[in-house]
Amino acid sequence: MSKGQIRIGIGGWTYPPWRGSFYPDKLPQAKELEYAASQLGAIEINATFYSRQSPKSWEKWGNSAPDGFQFAVKGSRYCVMKSKLAEAGEGLSGFFAQGFAALGPKLGPIMWQFTHYRRFDRDDIAGFIDLLPAELDGIKLRHAIEPRHESFRDERFFDLCRARNIAIVFEDSDDYPCIEADTADFTYARLQRMNEDVPTGYDAAALDGFAEKAGQWRTKGDAYIFMINGAKVRAPAAAQALRQRLTL
C-alpha cells in the first residue's frame, strides 16, 4: 500500500519569543523563514486571513523554502465572515488573484476557518463549496474546512466535502468540537492545546498518540499537522518532538 507524506509545522514564522528558543540567537530576522523551513515540513500562513499579500512576497517565500516543503494558506476573512457564504464569489476571486500560484509545488492546502457562531446550512455551504476553484494557474488545489460549531457533525456536510475531496480539519481544541471524518485523500490537523509549562507543548503521551494518528492518516494520503495557537511559544518544540517520533 502506498503511503502519503507527513508534513508537520507551525503557524507563521515571525514571533519574537521564538528568537533564542527556536531561532539561533544571532540569526537575522530576514533568515527566519529559511531557517524554519529547514527544520519543519510545512507552515500555515495566517497573514492571508487578514489581507492580501504581494506577488513579490509569494515569490520570496517560495524561494526561501526547500523542495518538498509546503505552505498552507489560510483563506480570507472577507470570504468566510460573510453572512451568506454562497455570496463570497467576489471575495474569492480577489483572494485567488494575489499571486500565491508562484509557490508552485510548494503550495499546500487552502484552509477555510469558519467562525464559531456559523451553523451548518446545507444549501449555503454547498454554494460556498461550488465557488472553490479546483485549480489555479494549472496547479491542482486542495481545500480544507475548519468548522467550529457542533452542527457541522452532519453526514450531509461530510457528503458535500467528499464530493469535492475537501478535508475537514481535525481540531484538537478546548473551545471547539473535533469533527473527525474521512472526506478527502489527505488530512489536515490543527493541534491547539499546547501547555507552556510543558517544554514540548504536549506531554509525551499526547505526542505518542498524535504520532500514531499520523501513521494512520498517512495510509490514505498526505497529512498536514500544525502546532498552532495554544501556548504558541512551544509550537516549534512541539512540532519537532512529533517529527522526531515519526523520524521525519
Side-chain angles (χ1 to χ4, degrees):
M1 180 183 296
S2 61
K3 292 185 177 181
Q5 184 168 351
I6 300 173
R7 293 183 175 89
I8 300 170
I10 56 179
W13 59 86
T14 301
Y15 186 57
W18 289 343
R19 300 192 63 79
S21 61
F22 173 49
Y23 296 123
D25 284 329
K26 296 182 179 180
L27 182 75
Q29 189 170 353
K31 294 287 187 179
E32 288 180 349
L33 173 55
E34 182 179 342
Y35 180 86
S38 73
Q39 302 296 307
L40 304 166
I43 284 177
E44 183 185 277
I45 299 176
N46 299 303
T48 47
F49 180 74
Y50 300 101
S51 63
R52 288 167 59 112
Q53 307 300 306
S54 71
K56 287 185 178 180
S57 290
W58 291 107
E59 185 176 354
K60 178 182 177 182
W61 296 342
N63 290 336
S64 296
D67 292 343
F69 181 93
Q70 287 192 352
F71 294 92
V73 180
K74 191 171 181 179
S76 170
R77 60 178 173 170
Y78 299 106
C79 300
V80 295
M81 288 186 173
K82 293 185 71 68
S83 58
K84 291 292 185 182
L85 290 177
E87 298 175 356
E90 184 176 351
L92 286 167
S93 295
F95 175 76
F96 284 103
Q98 63 184 288
F100 54 74
L103 294 177
K106 296 174 187 176
L107 174 61
I110 314 300
M111 196 281 291
W112 304 97
Q113 182 185 84
F114 294 166
T115 61
H116 67 278
Y117 54 78
R118 184 176 299 283
R119 294 173 177 267
F120 177 61
D121 177 327
R122 195 260 174 213
D123 292 340
D124 191 42
I125 299 301
F128 176 74
I129 287 175
D130 285 344
L131 294 172
L132 299 179
E135 63 174 44
L136 179 66
D137 295 349
I139 302 171
K140 184 179 178 181
L141 296 179
R142 284 172 160 173
H143 297 279
I145 291 177
E146 183 184 67
R148 291 187 154 186
H149 193 278
E150 185 64 33
S151 62
F152 281 86
R153 199 183 302 275
D154 189 311
E155 285 295 335
R156 295 174 298 163
F157 174 53
F158 302 165
D159 288 342
L160 289 173
C161 290
R162 287 191 186 102
R164 282 291 309 276
N165 194 43
I166 294 173
I168 298 172
V169 174
F170 176 93
E171 184 166 23
D172 184 53
S173 167
D174 289 326
D175 300 316
Y176 309 112
C178 182
I179 300 174
E180 190 170 8
D182 187 4
T183 60
D185 64 3
F186 71 102
T187 301
Y188 197 112
R190 302 179 88 235
L191 309 184
Q192 304 174 59
R193 293 196 299 138
M194 289 172 288
N195 183 339
E196 191 166 340
D197 293 333
V198 179
T200 54
Y202 281 97
D203 63 24
L207 289 169
D208 289 344
F210 290 133
E212 183 177 354
K213 270 193 172 296
Q216 296 168 356
W217 291 333
R218 187 181 189 182
T219 63
K220 69 173 184 177
D222 294 342
Y224 299 83
I225 304 171
F226 295 99
M227 300 293 182
I228 195 161
N229 297 329
K232 187 172 181 177
V233 68
R234 300 300 187 197
Q240 290 176 314
L242 185 55
R243 281 171 57 85
Q244 289 170 2
R245 281 166 167 77
L246 294 163
T247 62
L248 298 178

